[in-house]
Amino acid sequence: MGYDHPNQYLVKKAKEIARNMEPVIENPQHEKQAREKLAALEKKTGKKPNIVVFLLDDVGYGDFGFNGGGTAVGNPTPDVDKIASESLILTSAYSQPSCSPTRATIMTGQNQAHHGIQAPPMYGQPGGLEGATTLPQLLSKQGYTTQAVGKWHIGENDGSLPHNVGFDDFRGFLSVSDMYTEWRDPVFNPEVALSPERFKYILNLPFNKSDVHAKKGGKIENLYEINTETIKDLDQKWADYAMNFLEQQKSAKKPFFLYYGTRGCHFDNYPNKKYQGKSLARTTYGDCIVEMNDIFKRLIDTLEKTGQLENTVVFFGSDNGPEAEVAPHGYTPFRGAKGSTWEGGVRGPTFVYWKGMIQPRRSEGLFDFSDIFNTALSIAGKPGAAVGKMVPSKTYIDGIDQTSFWLADEGVSNRRSVIYFWNDKISAVRVDEFKFMPLVQIMNSVVQAGHIGGFSGTVQNSSGSNLFNLYTNPKEDETIGIRHIPMGVPLQAELYRYMEVLKKYPPKKVIGL
């Protein structure tokens, strides 16, 4: 009576493949098909696949047409939508609650409790990737050319700079969009912009204020200062740099890893003349989304023009949900926003595109951004448990190799659960469609007026029965913890399992809220 469905593992046990790695749900037939595809492609091209991570900033789950937004919310995204239709769309892909934690998660394969970057370092605050084993370091050892373009924001101290943590080359800025403009803008921050003394104070804080360039083994080169005028063309200049890089790689013998973090669409958005008013909504945010659509199309077109498209996997996502405290901002159909562990804060628009290699489909299988680490290394030739041997034995890898999920024609997730963190505390755990939340953010507990987001309000321990069915109640506004106790028990067991992981591999704090 009834049916069992793919990607549902509540009653299944994940397998431990290494002491310092998350257990996995094994799908051997899918793994076999994925490996056969990769072997055939390498035989054809003569080298390992190229890997691109295209990461937007503060963009919401519903901002693009492929997730119900686009034209419907005033910013048409026809090109992104078309590419998404030829991709594996991940409807349950999870970031960390804010930008720097997510970026560090991609680089390390660890959640924010383990890598320790639990909040964005702002205006010269210390903290970054220094000392971590990173994805570009490991891909370099596998023979990859490693290029980073755009937003960094994982530390400005020398040991945390992109060219010192594995990238051969970097062009972009070192922190986050608003740090270059908000204190200069008399509309948004007149208390600083119109006070010479305060303006000078910010100007003298120890953070870089330029668009920069750096090469491995070299020093940071400041190209020009970023202000409310020069920022208007920043995404276009970065796009030019990225496309030039792709052009240079077309006849290269080595594969490449391109980590591309856009400026858009973090507040404040200053559209240039081409994009100002181009969205149907005519908001600065809507105009930015239209520009991001065009830049992503340009990236795919360049890969195709240079003959590299079929040998390049492209991951498309956002570092977190919309920043709801500052309007205009992105749209999510879920509860919460950036800064929270409600679905709206950690679940964004995500797909994986690989022409000829990925069967286009939409999947609800669980995916965590830490999985990018493992999956990229797997595609580069280090699958499964091999990753655990590439990092120090005291380093716990929270990511899972999802190569078979991506590449098998009917691939399913190899991940049983997603663990959500607020700072270094477990906030929630999801298995299948169920989510248990022992720690919650009450965003309107302090103020009820104005723009309220994930950084507003208070954090509270729950009474122990906050359980949500994300299929029937994606807004997370009705707990079913008492009525559906049979589902709560295995979720609590998964919570206790990971608490034991934290005893063996304790959280650390580099920077936090």
Side-chain angles (χ1 to χ4, degrees), residues 30 37 108 190 214 219 309 338 378 393 422 451 457 472 489:
H30 294 163
K37 280 187 173 184
T108 64
K219 298 289 185 181
L309 190 60
K338 175 184 179 180
S378 176
S393 60
W422 192 90
H451 298 286
T472 61
V489 171

Side-chain angles (χ1 to χ4, degrees), residues 53-59 97-104 106-107 119-122 129 147-156 160-162 165 167 169-180 210-212 226 231 234-235 237-239 242 258-268 292 318-321 323 338 455:
V53 173
F54 186 86
L55 193 66
L56 298 156
D57 199 349
D58 288 6
V59 171
S98 65
C99 53
S100 300
T102 294
R103 293 164 199 276
I106 293 170
M107 292 295 152
M122 300 295 290
L129 276 182
Q147 174 71 58
V149 175
K151 177 180 176 179
W152 182 239
H153 210 190
I154 327 177
E156 288 196 43
S160 298
L161 296 174
V165 297
F167 284 105
D169 187 89
F170 172 71
R171 166 67 188 275
F173 62 39
L174 297 176
S175 57
V176 57
S177 191
D178 60 305
M179 274 176 54
Y180 298 92
S210 299
D211 188 8
V212 306
I226 301 171
I231 202 167
L234 199 56
D235 272 310
K237 289 179 178 178
W238 291 350
L258 171 62
Y259 173 74
Y260 190 153
T262 66
R263 185 217 59 79
C265 293
H266 193 291
F267 75 91
D268 293 292
M292 296 304 103
S318 176
D319 60 352
N320 42 249
E323 167 59 86
K338 175 184 179 180
F455 292 116

